[in-house]
Amino acid sequence: MKVIVAKRAGFCFGVRRAIDIAFDVAKRKKGGVFTFGPLIHNPQVIEKLKEVGVMPVSNLKDLGKRNIQAIIIRTHGIPFQKMQLLSQKKGYEIVDATCPFVKKAQQYAKLLKEEGYQVIILGDKHHPEVKGIISYAGKGSAVVSVESPLRTLRERVGIVVQTTQPIDSLKKLLSRAIEKTKEIKVYNTICNSTRLRLKETEEMADRVDAMVVVGGKNSANTTQLANLSRSLSVPTYHIETSDELKKNWFKGAKTVGITAGASTPDWIINDVKKRVKDIGGSLCYGNP
Amino acid sequence: MKVIVAKRAGFCFGVRRAIDIAFDVAKRKKGGVFTFGPLIHNPQVIEKLKEVGVMPVSNLKDLGKRNIQAIIIRTHGIPFQKMQLLSQKKGYEIVDATCPFVKKAQQYAKLLKEEGYQVIILGDKHHPEVKGIISYAGKGSAVVSVESPLRTLRERVGIVVQTTQPIDSLKKLLSRAIEKTKEIKVYNTICNSTRLRLKETEEMADRVDAMVVVGGKNSANTTQLANLSRSLSVPTYHIETSDELKKNWFKGAKTVGITAGASTPDWIINDVKKRVKDIGGSLCYGNP
């Protein structure tokens, strides 16, 4: 059985940067370091961070009277109201690990609002990145998914996009919106890393008999990869670690593809690769 | 045989306004009135205008040493360099009959240029309206049709649209452009009248056995109606006047649709309607 690992599997620029920041802050502060929400959407990495003393909290109240040395802002960013709240309290450092591409989307939403546009965000309204972006988007703004009905639009519409959305969803939104308004200013804030990873997964799907997608079950971009692979009729398995692998997934498979989200560390991908190869070997009954 | 005439057939706001202006100027000046290019794309109306002394010329040289009292700018507008040239000469009045919606497209092209966008115009590069708009669009601008390949785009692209383009062409352009750039500001300058006329023609095509499209052979929006009707597999005949009607087009037809472009006068549409009905009666051989 042949095992192919996607070249673009694993950490993107923003995730690598955030993890480097977190380890650096942990080293500097020696205790009292918290992330506001999980730093990235990978439970295994979050555990590693806990081991060096970087603890996730979901709101300020959770901190109680603990000694706070630094609060790190997650890669997905946070709403500006929460950022203001954090800034009001003194005695700790705020370290912003928001992915620079997400930051850009926030800034474009703000700019569009200031220019008088009705801001529409293409994405998942429950995702923390989108909750952050929309906080900058002002009155009349809305989050839409590719399926959600488009309510009445104003004459001037500004669009920004959750960085992990597929380009086809943006195309569909543009097609629907241009029928309902006179002016659109759109910033294509889909990050290149997402675009290329989806593209590679699409190409791989053509060549494999089964696809293993590795990454946080709470990771939007990993889920996106799995959905794409499934939509191309390839048996697809979304796992977080090699422990979830099952031998019978690979019976009869000649080629297996492995891809991973932007928040999946190399050590997990390598472990999955090794275990899939082992399974492949055991399925061959002596015929390598 | 039933004959249906589209409710939206004939003069749009911009054409009616231009013709009113031309007759008014002819009345005021009593001679020496010229239009820069044909006022609208309908040869029969141009003939009527000639009868009251409004003569089309294609450039200033054609005027020679004639007595010029007024020059009327055509509905499609003219390049701003030509407007400047006309303004330099004194002794005559310049009357701007550019359609206000075309004027808007020109102004948006200028605005986008001033804001630093690479301006792309969706339309037919040979059409006078588009030649006028692009004169405002600055360096690096280009006219693209829905089929033409998209060369490299800059990071910031501004789009305006020839007022008579179908919305589907704009959707297709947006889908192609958003893959190649980071920011698009698009003004949907397709005029409502065009949009609704195309829509009505599409709906009529479902109900008729033959379609007669009336209007100038040089009229972009009339040609658009004919192309749309043909694309829906309805036998379609684009004529300028009732003289071109042929009896055999309607053999076996139970219902015939008549539509007309934005520059087709009512008297031509009514004449076509009457003649089609007459043909229908003669084909019934006594069975009305």
Side-chain angles (χ1 to χ4, degrees), chain A:
Chain A
M1 192 171 81
K2 200 174 160 189
V3 179
I4 313 170
V5 180
K7 279 180 196 155
R8 295 179 189 282
F11 284 178
C12 65
F13 165 73
V15 166
R16 194 177 304 276
R17 176 177 168 275
I19 292 171
D20 287 349
I21 288 174
F23 276 103
D24 178 61
V25 175
K27 209 169 161 186
R28 279 200 287 119
K29 298 289 180 183
K30 303 186 202 309
V33 179
F34 299 90
T35 63
F36 204 71
L39 185 72
I40 62 168
H41 275 150
N42 187 281
Q44 291 71 37
V45 173
I46 300 303
E47 286 307 312
K48 290 263 178 203
L49 286 168
K50 282 182 189 170
E51 287 170 20
V52 297
V54 179
M55 312 303 285
V57 288
S58 52
N59 60 60
L60 277 179
K61 283 178 198 155
D62 289 354
L63 291 169
K65 290 187 176 175
R66 281 193 271 186
N67 164 37
I68 312 173
Q69 288 299 313
I71 292 181
I72 304 172
I73 309 300
R74 63 195 299 173
T75 45
H76 316 94
I78 60 173
F80 86 91
Q81 298 91 339
K82 288 201 173 174
M83 190 66 114
Q84 279 182 329
L85 215 67
L86 286 177
S87 309
Q88 278 165 12
K89 305 214 174 182
K90 304 290 172 195
Y92 54 76
E93 189 183 345
I94 295 174
V95 184
D96 194 354
T98 306
C99 163
F101 300 120
V102 173
K103 202 93 189 165
K104 261 196 177 174
Q106 293 175 347
Q107 285 161 349
Y108 286 140
K110 188 165 178 271
L111 183 72
L112 288 169
K113 178 193 75 177
E114 286 166 359
E115 289 179 346
Y117 289 96
Q118 176 187 22
V119 182
I120 300 294
I121 296 143
L122 173 65
D124 170 9
K125 65 180 174 186
H126 303 296
H127 194 281
E129 177 186 330
V130 174
K131 287 181 183 172
I133 296 171
I134 199 163
S135 74
Y136 291 90
K139 276 187 189 171
S141 62
V143 180
V144 301
S145 73
V146 70
E147 298 92 8
S148 56
L150 267 190
R151 50 178 201 170
T152 317
L153 296 179
R154 293 200 203 138
E155 281 221 341
R156 300 177 69 232
V157 170
I159 297 176
V160 291
V161 192
Q162 184 180 359
T163 55
T164 49
Q165 287 285 306
I167 186 84
D168 279 346
S169 299
L170 177 55
K171 290 179 182 180
K172 281 179 193 159
L173 174 63
L174 284 175
S175 279
R176 292 159 67 207
I178 198 65
E179 285 206 277
K180 300 197 166 199
T181 187
K182 280 289 169 195
E183 179 186 340
I184 294 177
K185 187 168 175 182
V186 51
Y187 288 102
N188 178 358
T189 48
I190 298 168
C191 88
N192 221 21
S193 159
T194 297
R195 190 178 65 81
L196 294 171
R197 198 179 294 110
L198 283 163
K199 199 178 163 204
E200 193 184 9
T201 301
E202 193 173 350
E203 286 162 2
M204 267 177 74
D206 259 358
R207 301 156 47 208
V208 302
D209 307 304
M211 184 83 83
V212 179
V213 182
V214 192
K217 299 278 164 75
N218 56 345
S219 157
N221 80 85
T222 311
T223 306
Q224 201 95 254
L225 293 174
N227 288 343
L228 172 66
S229 175
R230 263 183 220 113
S231 75
L232 299 166
S233 305
V234 180
T236 300
Y237 309 98
H238 179 174
I239 59 171
E240 284 190 356
T241 69
S242 64
D243 292 345
E244 296 168 65
L245 288 168
K246 287 197 171 59
K247 210 168 178 173
N248 63 355
W249 293 347
F250 307 107
K251 271 184 189 156
K254 284 183 182 160
T255 310
V256 173
I258 298 175
T259 185
S263 46
T264 312
D266 279 355
W267 57 269
I268 292 185
I269 302 171
N270 288 334
D271 184 45
V272 169
K273 180 182 169 187
K274 190 180 165 301
R275 293 277 290 273
V276 172
K277 279 195 168 176
D278 287 349
I279 292 171
S282 74
L283 286 171
C284 284
Y285 308 107
N287 298 314

Side-chain angles (χ1 to χ4, degrees), chain B residues 256-270:
Chain B
V256 173
I258 297 174
T259 186
S263 45
T264 313
D266 279 354
W267 58 269
I268 293 186
I269 302 170
N270 288 334

